[in-house]
């Protein structure tokens, strides 16, 4: 085929691919073009495109005349606009005539066959738009884009066929016919070269999951090449954290298996040797900066396994501390010298003067909803400050932890001069509101349902708000919460909580309670692993009790002198300790099944107001807050009641859990807890302020099943609590190796020990000056005889309670579930046991 004009190879390929009929046109131009001006060009066939617009693509040469080269370039430029189906040039009687056939106008763009992805999402992705110019290359590009969207959602069998329906007046309708195909999952995940860790342990590290019966509730089993690539980095970081300084994740091999209709993913790993730290040294090229001054900020210890994550955190904290000391451009660079024979590494932190670079601007992009200041306050640096990469990395981590954005990436661009940089913060926002309906069941609270509405980024200002309503078989209430994370622009969180709770009587307690309270709190982050919370709590509390458990109806004569119709002188109500039921001293009233004396005392006292100041110190080094396998978490709490109100006390409690990986994916857990309650001044302690313990201290015991208890056989024998408790537990958690890891099932074996004792609440009713129980006559002896309705007889055994048991832990798609079966080995004479316990819930 001969051409009268030069056409580039790329343009020729495009014309052949999309059948643009210009070849014949170009062949027609065989004679040299006459030199003429742009204004002399005649245009034919144009309807929407103006004459002058078409002429503007032809640029005159020397002398303002058009030569062959200018005509050639103009022709190619017109074709590349995509506005025309055909363009050709004629020479008629010395005139240059440009003949065009315009592309149709798109009337509508529609999608058919798409069920998994909505029309709105596809419309936003395609470039072909209604009332736009129809272009075959653009349509083909749109079809590929639609297919790519489906592949990202795991449907690699998708087929997209664009259909063009011609309409009058040079208009077309564009229909994308979509055959979605079936979901393409990951059928197997294997590892090559892993000697130190089992395949099941490494599957826990990565995010990609194998398809199973419950995969429809999640999405990580869908093949995603980006996720697989990210898993390579997760595996590498896991090995580096555990001493394998030479590890390489060489490749992630993926293969589609048509028989299994899914992908087979294989990670090829070269582990290398495991290293320990032989020495930690510090050097400084800055004369005025003593390197040993930063030694306390190192998290790397001699003799420990090499840990790249601890090394990174050490560098970050040391560099930040150097900046605080006035060395804004100091750079900390770690160096590791390996001893291949001894499998050790010597770490040297070298502190040098870095380049003097300043931050010119911080540009934020992609935050359509979140206010700029919400993002900027996560930076410890601002415009004009010295550029510090450690502080930039910390800001990026903080922004990710906000959970406001799908992606967060901070990059740098050159500034207006060589010593200036511009920080670019690229964000992609995501939904931060939640509406949930939750349901659950436990052997303590029975069936329970909760409806809640929350917003993590209220009005784009970074505020948190939540409202919830709970209604259950034995527990009901509501709560309102609000958190301002930056009070007065300081890194101090202000929280406000308003709540109302109602606990109904059940098989474990004979009485109910109603609590209405308000609690403001302040939260401080002292370090990344250490936080402090200060709080004030004020709440009103009262006891509810059926009238049958709070009467004095087994006396022959009522206080007004009339006979008591409920009096029963039968032998079944024989007196205890020789008490005569036929007398009117009221001491026999207990024997018709009344609640314990401390309970009735609380009821008679009416509503009680508690006003308390408190704080919580939290230390947390867990590797994963939801499913920890390594680290320590400690909570230390103290509350001081008596800042006004009706009660006063000091309550102290500590709770610590230590997780450590053992062998073959087995995780060891040590749990220790304890608490003490002391009264302030001469005011007695209430029963409700005492600690109540059960399976939360030693599994195998019923709720409120441990500790001091009213032992009168004719009453409800309520647990009355204690002022001191302690508990320790050792547990081994292990996966079921014969089940897929994605099922989320783990087994546990454990041993618990603990005790609750030293009741210091009321033990009598009728002491001088006290209000007597309604319906009862004051006794003749003071204090009253223990074991009567006006005198408490209770057990306060110092026996150490112990138990052993097994558990089933399920991180199910319906929420976390746990089943425990524990057998008490030692217990008090009046303790109550509950060998099986279940708890869990879901959100839907």
């Amino acid at each position: 085929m001969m051409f009268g004009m030069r056409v580039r190879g790329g343009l020729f390929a495009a014309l052949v691919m999309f059948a643009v009929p210009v070849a014949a046109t170009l062949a027609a131009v065989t004679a040299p073009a006459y030199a003429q001006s742009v204004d002399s060009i005649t245009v034919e066939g144009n309807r929407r495109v103006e004459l002058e617009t078409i002429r503007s693509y032809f640029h005159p040469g020397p002398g303002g005349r058009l030569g062959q080269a200018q005509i050639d370039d103009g022709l190619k430029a017109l074709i590349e606009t995509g506005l025309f189906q055909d363009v050709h040039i004629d020479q008629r009687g010395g005139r240059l005539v440009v003949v065009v056939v315009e592309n149709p106008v798109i009337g509508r763009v529609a999608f058919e066959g798409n069920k998994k992805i909505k029309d709105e999402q596809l419309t936003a992705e395609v470039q072909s738009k209604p009332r736009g110019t129809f272009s075959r290359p653009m349509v083909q590009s749109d079809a590929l884009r639609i297919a790519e969207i489906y592949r990202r959602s795991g449907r690699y069998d998708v087929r997209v066929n664009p259909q063009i329906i011609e309409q009058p007046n040079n208009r077309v309708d564009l229909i994308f016919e979509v055959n979605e195909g079936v979901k393409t999952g990951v059928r197997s995940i294997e590892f090559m070269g892993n000697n130190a860790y089992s395949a099941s342990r490494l599957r826990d590290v990565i995010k990609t999951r194998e398809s199973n019966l419950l995969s429809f509730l999640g999405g990580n089993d869908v093949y995603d090449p980006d996720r697989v690539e990210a898993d390579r980095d997760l595996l590498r970081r896991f090995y580096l954290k555990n001493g394998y300084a030479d590890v390489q994740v060489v490749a992630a091999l993926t293969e589609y298996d048509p028989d299994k209709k899914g992908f087979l993913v294989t990670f090829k790993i070269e582990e290398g040797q495991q290293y320990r730290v032989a020495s930690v040294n510090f050097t400084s090229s800055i004369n005025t900066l003593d390197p040993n001054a930063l030694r306390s900020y190192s998290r790397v210890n001699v003799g420990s396994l090499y840990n790249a994550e601890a090394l990174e955190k050490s560098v970050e904290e040391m560099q930040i501390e150097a900046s605080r000391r006035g060395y804004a451009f100091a750079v900390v660079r770690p160096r590791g010298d390996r001893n291949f024979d001894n499998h050790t590494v010597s770490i040297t932190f070298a502190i040098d003067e870095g380049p003097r670079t300043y931050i010119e601007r911080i540009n934020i992009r992609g935050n359509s909803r979140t206010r700029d200041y919400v993002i900027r306050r996560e930076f410890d640096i601002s415009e004009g400050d010295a550029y510090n990469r450690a502080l930039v990395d910390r800001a990026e981590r903080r922004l990710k932890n906000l959970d406001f954005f799908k992606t967060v990436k901070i990059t740098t661009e050159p500034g207006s001069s060589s010593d200036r940089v511009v920080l670019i913060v690229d964000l992609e926002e995501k939904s931060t509101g939640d509406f949930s309906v939750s349901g659950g069941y436990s052997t303590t609270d029975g069936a329970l349902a909760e409806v809640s509405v929350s917003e993590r980024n209220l009005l784009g200002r970074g505020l948190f708000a939540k409202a919830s309503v709970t209604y259950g078989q034995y527990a009901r209430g509501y709560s309102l919460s609000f958190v301002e994370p930056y009070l007065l622009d300081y890194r101090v969180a202000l929280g406000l909580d308003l709540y109302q709770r109602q606990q109904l009587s059940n098989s474990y307690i004979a009485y109910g309670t109603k609590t209405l309270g308000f609690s403001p709190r302040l939260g401080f982050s002292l370090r990344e692993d250490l936080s402090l919370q200060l709080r004030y709590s004020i709440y009103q509390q009262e006891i509810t009790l059926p009238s049958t458990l709070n009467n004095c109806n087994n006396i022959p004569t009522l206080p007004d002198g009339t006979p008591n119709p409920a009096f029963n002188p039968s032998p079944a109500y024989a007196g205890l300790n020789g008490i005569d039921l036929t007398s009117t001293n009221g001491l026999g009233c207990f024997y018709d099944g009344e609640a314990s004396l401390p309970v009735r005392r609380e009821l008679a006292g009416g509503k009680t107001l508690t006003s308390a100041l408190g704080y919580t110190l939290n230390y947390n080094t867990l590797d994963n807050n939801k499913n920890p396998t390594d680290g320590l978490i400690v909570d230390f709490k103290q509350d001081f009641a008596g800042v006004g109100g009706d009660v006063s006390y000091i309550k102290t409690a500590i709770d610590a859990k230590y997780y450590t990986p053992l062998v073959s994916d087995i995780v060891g857990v040590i749990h220790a807890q304890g608490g003490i309650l002391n009264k302030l001044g001469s005011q007695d302690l209430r029963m409700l302020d005492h600690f109540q313990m059960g399976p939360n201290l030693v599994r195998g015991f019923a709720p409120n099943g441990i500790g001091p208890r009213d032992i009168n056989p004719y009453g409800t024998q309520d647990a009355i609590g204690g002022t001191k408790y302690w508990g320790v537990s050792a547990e081994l958690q292990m996966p079921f190796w014969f089940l897929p890891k994605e099922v989320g099932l783990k087994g546990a074996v454990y041993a618990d020990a603990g005790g609750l004792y030293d009741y210091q609440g009321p033990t009598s009713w009728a002491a001088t000056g006290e209000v007597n129980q309604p319906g009862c006559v004051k006794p003749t002896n003071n204090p009253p005889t223990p074991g009567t309705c006006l005198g408490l007889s209770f057990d306060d055994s110092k026996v150490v309670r112990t138990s052993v048991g097994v558990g089933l832990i399920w991180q199910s798609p319906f929420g976390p579930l746990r089943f425990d079966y524990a057998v008490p080995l030692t217990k008090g004479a009046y303790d109550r046991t509950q060998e099986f316990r279940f708890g869990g819930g879901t959100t839907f």
Side-chain angles (χ1 to χ4, degrees):
M1 184 177 293
M2 300 296 295
F3 291 87
M5 291 187 177
R6 291 179 292 107
V7 182
R8 295 176 184 172
L11 177 60
F12 173 69
L15 297 178
V16 172
M17 181 178 297
F18 300 109
V20 179
V22 298
T25 300
L26 295 178
V29 186
T30 57
Y34 295 100
Q36 52 191 299
S37 66
V38 172
D39 293 338
S40 66
I41 296 176
T42 302
V43 178
E44 295 179 356
N46 58 314
R47 296 183 179 181
R48 298 187 311 275
V49 184
E50 297 291 337
L51 168 64
E52 294 303 324
T53 301
I54 295 175
R55 284 177 174 175
S56 67
Y57 286 92
F58 294 88
H59 303 288
R65 313 296 288 177
L66 288 173
Q68 186 66 50
Q70 288 77 33
I71 296 173
D72 184 12
D73 291 339
L75 175 63
K76 288 184 290 185
L78 282 174
I79 293 172
E80 290 172 353
T81 63
L83 298 174
F84 309 102
Q85 282 184 339
D86 183 19
V87 182
H88 66 270
I89 296 175
D90 292 337
Q91 296 175 3
R92 302 174 187 171
R95 292 184 303 109
L96 190 65
V97 180
V98 179
V99 182
V100 298
V101 179
E102 294 180 344
N103 272 325
V105 174
I106 300 175
R108 67 186 182 98
V109 179
F111 306 91
E112 294 181 355
N114 55 311
K115 298 178 180 178
K116 302 300 180 180
I117 300 179
K118 296 181 178 179
D119 286 2
E120 292 79 5
Q121 183 177 349
L122 296 179
T123 300
E125 295 291 341
V126 299
Q127 292 180 304
S128 299
K129 304 293 184 183
R131 295 182 298 278
T133 301
F134 172 81
S135 169
R136 290 183 183 275
M138 185 182 296
V139 170
Q140 294 297 328
S141 175
D142 289 338
L144 293 175
R145 177 59 182 158
I146 293 171
E148 179 63 22
I149 294 171
Y150 273 94
R151 291 189 180 101
R152 291 295 178 185
S153 64
R155 297 182 179 273
Y156 276 76
D157 289 335
V158 64
R159 299 290 182 270
V160 182
N161 182 27
Q163 295 291 330
I164 303 164
I165 303 175
E166 295 185 359
Q167 302 290 350
N169 300 321
N170 199 28
R171 304 178 71 87
V172 295
D173 289 342
L174 179 58
I175 311 296
F176 290 97
E177 294 181 351
V178 181
N179 182 359
E180 295 181 321
V182 296
K183 180 180 175 182
T184 311
V186 176
R187 297 304 177 187
S188 73
I189 301 174
E190 302 297 337
F191 301 88
M192 297 173 56
N194 56 310
N195 299 314
Y197 297 99
S198 66
S200 60
R201 179 67 183 94
L202 296 180
R203 288 190 188 102
D204 275 347
V205 175
I206 62 178
K207 292 185 177 181
T208 303
R209 294 288 181 260
E210 292 179 348
S211 299
N212 55 65
L213 293 176
L214 300 176
S215 295
F216 68 94
L217 295 168
N220 285 351
D221 69 309
V222 175
Y223 175 71
D224 185 342
D226 291 340
R227 187 190 296 131
V228 172
E229 191 62 28
D231 286 339
R232 289 182 62 187
D233 186 60
L234 290 176
L235 288 170
R236 186 184 66 85
R237 295 184 67 85
F238 171 75
Y239 272 95
L240 289 173
K241 182 181 177 181
N242 289 279
Y244 294 87
D246 298 325
V247 66
Q248 292 185 44
V249 183
V250 179
L253 308 175
T254 59
E255 178 185 3
Y256 181 78
D257 188 332
D259 295 331
K260 295 183 177 180
K261 296 183 179 180
F263 282 89
L264 311 180
V265 180
T266 303
F267 293 95
K268 187 177 180 181
I269 302 171
E270 294 180 2
E271 292 180 332
Q273 297 295 327
Q274 190 178 45
Y275 290 84
R276 289 189 176 273
V277 178
S279 63
V280 181
N281 300 305
F282 299 81
T283 63
S284 174
S285 63
I286 304 175
N287 295 330
T288 56
L289 177 58
D290 181 7
N292 291 316
L294 303 180
R295 183 177 292 272
S296 61
Y297 294 91
S298 171
R299 300 190 180 191
V300 181
N301 300 313
V302 175
S304 63
L305 287 175
Y306 172 80
N307 186 334
E309 185 177 294
L311 196 68
E312 291 172 359
K313 290 183 178 179
S314 300
V315 169
E316 179 180 300
E317 293 187 7
M318 293 166 65
Q319 195 159 315
I320 291 172
E321 179 59 24
S323 179
R324 291 189 185 127
R325 293 171 180 250
Y327 301 92
F329 300 101
V331 177
V332 180
R333 296 185 176 92
R335 186 180 69 248
D337 298 321
R338 296 174 177 80
N339 185 320
F340 297 101
D341 296 329
N342 297 329
H343 301 149
T344 59
V345 58
S346 298
I347 305 296
T348 300
F349 292 100
I351 307 164
D352 301 313
E353 185 78 18
R356 292 183 171 270
T357 306
Y358 296 88
I359 298 174
E360 182 173 318
R361 293 189 314 278
I362 300 177
N363 293 340
I364 303 173
R365 303 186 302 208
N367 57 318
S368 58
R369 180 167 177 264
T370 306
R371 308 294 178 92
D372 268 17
Y373 73 85
V374 174
I375 299 165
R376 292 180 183 274
R377 69 191 183 187
E378 299 300 330
F379 287 80
D380 291 327
I381 50 178
S382 58
E383 282 109 342
D385 290 346
Y387 173 74
N388 188 315
R389 187 67 220 179
L391 293 176
V392 172
D393 291 341
R394 171 180 283 188
E396 183 172 338
R397 188 167 60 251
R398 285 174 176 172
L399 288 172
K400 291 178 179 178
N401 291 338
L402 288 177
D403 200 24
F404 297 168
F405 312 103
K406 288 182 181 179
T407 58
V408 177
K409 187 176 182 180
I410 302 179
T411 56
T412 60
E413 292 182 356
S416 58
S417 61
S418 59
D419 63 344
R420 297 288 188 271
V421 296
V422 178
L423 291 184
I424 306 298
V425 184
D426 284 309
L427 309 166
E428 183 181 357
E429 295 194 303
K430 67 178 182 181
S431 174
T432 55
D434 292 307
F435 172 78
S436 67
V437 180
S438 305
Y441 179 84
S442 74
T443 48
T444 303
D445 297 326
L448 192 70
E450 180 185 83
V451 178
S452 66
V453 179
S454 64
E455 172 57 64
R456 300 190 304 276
N457 188 14
L458 186 64
L459 303 176
R461 299 176 182 271
L463 306 174
F464 174 83
K466 181 178 180 179
S468 65
V469 177
T470 302
Y471 192 89
Q473 191 172 356
Y474 303 121
R476 297 163 189 174
Y478 65 84
S479 66
L480 300 172
S481 298
F482 174 82
V483 177
E484 163 57 86
Y486 280 80
L487 181 63
L488 301 177
D489 290 330
Y490 290 98
R491 201 176 292 277
V492 177
L494 169 66
L496 302 174
D497 298 298
L498 176 67
Y499 57 90
Q500 189 272 336
R501 292 193 295 264
Q502 182 180 9
Q503 180 71 45
L504 304 181
S505 59
N506 53 54
S507 57
Y508 305 109
I509 53 174
Y511 56 90
T513 58
K514 290 182 179 180
T515 306
L516 176 63
F518 173 70
S519 177
R521 48 194 164 85
L522 294 174
F524 305 84
S525 180
L526 305 180
R527 294 187 331 202
E528 285 200 6
D529 56 4
L530 186 65
S531 62
L532 173 68
Q533 183 191 90
L534 305 178
R535 62 180 171 274
Y536 170 72
S537 301
I538 182 168
Y539 58 90
Q540 179 181 274
Q541 197 171 34
E542 64 175 317
I543 274 187
T544 59
L545 194 65
S547 60
T548 55
L549 299 181
N550 184 44
N551 56 31
C552 214
N553 60 7
N554 204 35
I555 54 177
T557 305
L558 296 177
D560 61 1
T562 60
N564 181 9
F567 172 63
N568 188 345
S570 68
Y573 289 88
L576 185 66
N577 298 327
I579 297 174
D580 182 7
L581 292 180
T582 61
S583 70
T584 58
N585 63 7
L587 298 183
C589 66
F590 197 81
Y591 306 113
D592 68 339
E594 290 199 15
S596 299
L597 181 144
V599 177
R600 291 179 283 119
R601 281 285 300 267
E602 297 281 359
L603 181 67
K607 297 178 180 178
T608 303
L609 186 67
T610 300
S611 176
L613 289 172
Y615 70 91
T616 298
L617 196 62
N618 175 269
Y619 177 74
N620 187 344
T621 63
L622 297 182
D623 59 343
N624 187 314
N625 287 329
K626 291 184 178 180
N627 187 24
T629 60
D630 191 15
L632 174 67
I633 181 169
V634 180
D635 270 323
F636 180 80
K637 302 178 182 180
Q638 276 196 312
D639 287 284
F640 304 85
V643 189
D646 303 321
V647 297
S648 58
Y649 59 76
I650 299 177
K651 184 178 286 188
T652 306
I654 187 171
D655 189 287
K657 288 184 178 180
Y658 175 67
Y659 296 81
T660 182
L662 300 176
V663 294
S664 300
D665 302 332
I666 297 176
V667 176
V669 185
I670 301 296
H671 183 196
Q673 55 182 316
I676 186 169
L677 173 67
N678 295 311
K679 69 177 183 178
L680 288 176
S682 58
Q683 188 173 3
D684 291 334
L685 294 172
R686 299 188 311 153
M687 180 206 69
L688 288 180
D689 295 327
H690 283 60
F691 297 110
Q692 295 282 1
M693 291 292 164
N696 55 331
L697 187 68
V698 181
R699 285 164 285 195
F701 289 83
N704 295 359
I706 295 176
R709 182 177 299 275
D710 179 2
I711 61 174
N712 193 294
Y714 297 99
T716 55
Q717 295 188 332
D718 297 295
I720 54 179
T723 58
K724 300 179 181 67
Y725 76 91
W726 65 273
V728 292
S729 173
E731 180 170 302
L732 296 178
Q733 297 179 356
M734 65 210 73
F736 293 105
W737 292 278
F738 54 87
L739 291 176
K741 189 68 84 175
E742 293 72 25
V743 174
L745 276 174
K746 291 192 298 184
V749 294
Y750 51 82
D752 296 345
L756 171 69
Y757 49 90
D758 198 12
Y759 171 75
Q760 294 185 17
T763 58
S764 64
W765 192 298
T768 304
E770 290 184 350
V771 177
N772 194 30
Q773 181 183 5
C776 284
V777 181
K778 285 188 177 182
T780 55
N781 54 334
N782 193 4
T785 305
T788 68
C789 66
L790 303 179
L792 176 66
S793 177
F794 66 97
D795 172 70
D796 196 359
S797 173
K798 303 299 188 293
V799 174
V800 175
R801 282 78 171 179
T802 60
S803 71
V804 293
V806 295
L808 183 65
I809 306 167
W810 187 19
Q811 295 294 333
S812 76
F814 310 103
L817 303 175
R818 176 153 184 156
F819 306 83
D820 281 296
Y821 181 80
V823 178
L825 301 179
T826 60
K827 62 186 182 71
Y830 297 93
D831 288 346
R832 298 182 179 180
T833 62
Q834 181 191 70
E835 295 181 346
F836 177 76
R837 187 165 183 257
F838 160 75
T842 184
T843 299
F844 49 89

